[in-house]
Amino acid sequence: MIPSIRAEYNRAFTREKYDAFVADVTRLHPGILGLRISETPVFIPADFKHRLMEAGEEVLGILDEPDFQKRTRSAIPPGLYVPGQNERPEFIVVDFAVCADESGHYVPRLIELQGFPTINAFQPVLASCYQKHFAIPDGFSPYLNGYDETTYGALLRELIVAGRD
């Protein structure tokens, strides 16, 4: 976290703003989330964002190895393997913990890897609601690699709908 931004965000935070934010997030599908929504987005410095992206690319590199599926097939218990699935998922969500290394520098550590698209549709809604209800500093975005809300939405639609109604 960036301490100065965290302090300003905390100063402006109110329970009323949070309640309105949660109501907005859950308006599309009331009662479906079943999880508590964080009071705050995570404000990370650019250098740590790049470390997270590098760690993600490293994980994706392992998944892209030619024999990955063969090596990991035994990790899926009998009866849970989905027949007819793609060789590689279209969607991958990588969850990282933020840890301190021996020098006290923050480093990402892999927690879990998911291969389904649900969170990819939820995150833009969440980001938009944070921006609507709280002051998010200029230059902070949940989108990476040049994407914005519009281009990300178009890509997500193409991957999920693929030109169909």
Side-chain angles (χ1 to χ4, degrees), residues 88-128:
R88 302 273 190 286
E90 294 285 349
F91 299 92
I92 296 175
V93 176
V94 183
D95 289 339
F96 290 107
V98 178
C99 303
D101 66 11
E102 304 78 32
S103 305
H105 296 103
Y106 293 123
V107 293
R109 294 289 185 250
L110 181 65
I111 293 177
E112 77 177 329
L113 179 69
Q114 304 169 10
F116 52 91
T118 310
I119 199 160
N120 294 291
F122 176 65
Q123 288 297 332
V125 171
L126 187 64
S128 177

Side-chain angles (χ1 to χ4, degrees), residues 37-113:
I37 300 173
S38 177
E39 291 86 352
T40 177
V42 179
F43 301 103
I44 59 171
D47 65 323
F48 188 66
K49 177 183 90 168
H50 293 297
R51 275 185 256 153
L52 285 166
M53 291 176 69
E54 288 171 359
E57 291 294 331
E58 186 176 338
V59 170
L60 294 178
I62 293 168
L63 298 177
D64 204 31
E65 291 175 359
D67 64 340
F68 178 79
Q69 199 172 46
K70 181 180 171 188
R71 288 185 298 137
T72 59
R73 185 173 298 273
S74 64
I76 301 172
L80 295 181
Y81 188 79
V82 178
Q85 70 181 5
N86 298 348
E87 185 176 324
R88 302 273 190 286
E90 294 285 349
F91 299 92
I92 296 175
V93 176
V94 183
D95 289 339
F96 290 107
V98 178
C99 303
D101 66 11
E102 304 78 32
S103 305
H105 296 103
Y106 293 123
V107 293
R109 294 289 185 250
L110 181 65
I111 293 177
E112 77 177 329
L113 179 69

Side-chain angles (χ1 to χ4, degrees), residues 1-2 4 6 9 19-20 41 56 96 102 110 112 117 130 133 135 137 141 143 159 162:
M1 294 279 208
I2 300 172
S4 60
R6 163 65 43 234
Y9 187 92
D19 289 344
F96 290 107
E102 304 78 32
L110 181 65
E112 77 177 329
Y130 273 124
H133 293 278
S141 170
Y143 304 101
L159 289 170

